[in-house]
Amino acid sequence: MLLRRHFLTILALLAVPTRVLSRKGGDGSSSDGDSGSSSGSSGSSDSDDTSSSTPSSGGLNCFDTHRLDFDDLQPSHYDRYNREPRRGHASAYSDWDGVFFKGSASFKYTIQTPPNNLTEGDIVSSSFITCPIGTQSMRMLGAAWVAAKAPTPAGPLNPITLGFKAWKSNVRVSDIDYSYSVCEDLDLMRLTTTVDWYNETSVEKAMDAVALNVTQAADNKNKILFDGVYDLKDWADSERSSMEPARYDNAGLSDQMISLPDSLCSEYSNLGKILIGWPTGTHINGSMTNETLELGFSGSTIAGFSHRYPWPDTDTKVNVTFEFTFAGSYDAANSSQVVLPGASSHNASLITFERATGSATATSLSLYSVLLSLLVSVGVIFV
């Protein structure tokens, strides 16, 4: 009788497979559990898998599950093609959903002070500033989104749009889903190869910040190579943001950034983040297969510092040379599409996106069905 009771309890629990199926489409959900669950032992103190409520800079509480968030990877002009149709229809599919990649990165940099170009009138040097000497490096984690070019607005010419962000972390890649924070200003790098220009509250136009040259790899017919140079000189004299005009020196839009952590340099007291921005001329290159994405960024610029409360601002500048690499793997749990690059695309642009077949979900469901059937068979014997 006791065995029968245990069997019926287990059978009832299996009858509701809440973790078997997940909605895909880049909303941060994953087939490995709910947003409040733990990913297991991370082997690092960089992140806390438990939910927390943290005061934000505005004094309001911010609820944080430390779940990796994908919402800021795509330009706003994609919303009408993927996010808006999904409102009220969580399983809706779009040809512009795109694919997601997650992985680790390395950021190498050299800070030179005083800057090597003191002939420009607005360059301020200080004999009191101290920074790390020689080439420095830090490990990072990163997430990327790649999608086909949206139908509107007119302007962009690249066949794809790439969105990317990275943050400093020692968490292993297998635990990346719980390595993030929406309450803290973690991102040290954020990029979209196509950017929006707003007219008050709506997108007025868009343009390619990086004109990508896409070619087929010689060693793999189903792999593409791409490269280009970051260049927003057409908007160089435009106001970056109505709230924070020209937030970054020698940079693109205010939501495009490369920065280094605060307190690396000091001048009487520790200074804030080093704001590199996206200097015109930054070289961007990479490669992509249906399972992998590799990225590389390199450049040099004169950069300033962000404000670090409660210390006063500084006008001091430093010269920063940087080199960044990222290696990511296809994130099937959050991607509703698959990418077919190179010869597999069967088109001149060398890249095609198709609806994912849901093989990973089908495998989980199949395993669940087998276990349920086995348990029922055993139950028939003992009940």
Side-chain angles (χ1 to χ4, degrees):
M1 185 67 181
L2 182 61
L3 180 59
R4 177 182 179 181
R5 185 178 304 161
H6 286 315
F7 162 73
L8 292 176
T9 301
I10 296 172
L11 186 62
L13 290 173
L14 279 175
V16 188
T18 57
R19 295 164 64 94
V20 172
L21 298 177
S22 67
R23 181 178 72 81
K24 299 182 179 181
D27 63 341
S29 63
S30 172
S31 60
D32 64 352
D34 300 329
S35 61
S37 63
S38 170
S39 64
S41 174
S42 67
S44 171
S45 60
D46 273 26
S47 66
D48 182 0
D49 290 347
T50 59
S51 301
S52 61
S53 183
T54 306
S56 65
S57 58
L60 300 176
N61 285 335
C62 176
F63 182 75
D64 199 346
T65 65
H66 296 279
R67 185 74 173 175
L68 178 57
D69 178 64
F70 296 98
D71 288 345
D72 53 0
L73 289 177
Q74 70 176 41
S76 295
H77 70 266
Y78 274 83
D79 289 357
R80 63 182 297 187
Y81 297 106
N82 51 28
R83 289 177 179 165
E84 291 179 11
R86 191 169 287 123
R87 290 171 185 164
H89 305 278
S91 61
Y93 169 80
S94 167
D95 289 335
W96 295 275
D97 280 344
V99 294
F100 293 88
F101 296 87
K102 299 181 296 190
S104 62
S106 174
F107 194 1
K108 296 181 180 180
Y109 59 92
T110 302
I111 304 171
Q112 181 179 344
T113 179
N116 55 15
N117 186 359
L118 293 175
T119 60
E120 300 180 26
D122 60 345
I123 303 302
V124 178
S125 178
S126 170
S127 59
F128 298 100
I129 190 170
T130 59
C131 298
I133 298 174
T135 300
Q136 309 293 314
S137 65
M138 63 178 167
R139 181 186 182 272
M140 305 178 77
L141 291 176
W145 166 84
V146 186
K149 181 173 75 74
T152 60
L157 300 177
N158 290 335
I160 58 173
T161 296
L162 166 70
F164 179 75
K165 65 179 178 180
W167 57 100
K168 183 180 180 181
S169 179
N170 289 321
V171 173
R172 58 193 179 192
V173 176
S174 59
D175 293 328
I176 190 174
D177 285 342
Y178 290 92
S179 67
Y180 199 68
S181 173
V182 296
C183 298
E184 302 173 23
D185 187 15
L186 286 187
D187 293 341
L188 295 178
M189 185 171 296
R190 189 177 296 163
L191 165 74
T192 55
T193 54
T194 300
V195 296
D196 294 324
W197 180 248
Y198 292 89
N199 179 10
E200 295 182 354
T201 59
S202 61
V203 177
E204 179 178 309
K205 58 182 178 179
M207 69 173 289
D208 294 323
V210 185
L212 294 174
N213 176 39
V214 181
T215 59
Q216 182 174 305
D219 60 340
N220 184 346
K221 66 178 182 179
N222 295 320
K223 176 182 179 179
I224 59 170
L225 308 177
F226 53 88
D227 68 275
V229 174
Y230 194 93
D231 186 358
L232 279 180
K233 63 179 181 293
D234 290 344
W235 289 357
D237 298 325
S238 300
E239 183 179 322
R240 271 51 166 192
S241 165
S242 59
M243 299 297 293
E244 297 175 292
R247 178 179 174 186
Y248 299 114
D249 291 337
N250 190 26
L253 306 180
S254 62
D255 59 350
Q256 306 282 298
M257 63 177 173
I258 305 176
S259 56
L260 291 172
D262 61 14
S263 302
L264 286 179
C265 298
S266 63
E267 184 184 39
Y268 306 109
S269 61
N270 288 339
L271 296 174
K273 287 183 176 180
I274 301 177
L275 303 178
I276 300 172
W278 277 97
T280 296
T282 299
H283 183 237
I284 295 174
N285 67 286
S287 66
M288 183 166 57
T289 69
N290 63 334
E291 292 290 341
T292 63
L293 175 69
E294 295 183 346
L295 297 173
F297 312 137
S298 60
S300 181
T301 191
I302 294 174
F305 295 86
S306 67
H307 176 68
R308 189 168 185 265
Y309 183 83
W311 292 276
D313 287 336
T314 179
D315 294 324
T316 299
K317 309 291 184 181
V318 293
N319 193 91
V320 181
T321 301
F322 58 91
E323 182 179 343
F324 176 88
T325 56
F326 167 79
S329 299
Y330 173 67
D331 182 6
N334 287 297
S335 300
S336 64
Q337 292 189 303
V338 293
V339 59
L340 303 176
S344 59
S345 68
H346 300 295
N347 66 39
S349 68
L350 295 177
I351 189 163
T352 297
F353 296 84
E354 293 184 357
R355 186 167 189 166
T357 59
S359 57
T361 300
T363 301
S364 300
L365 184 58
S366 176
L367 178 60
Y368 163 79
S369 300
V370 170
L371 291 175
L372 182 59
S373 299
L374 180 61
L375 189 58
V376 170
S377 300
V378 174
V380 170
I381 297 174
F382 288 100
V383 176

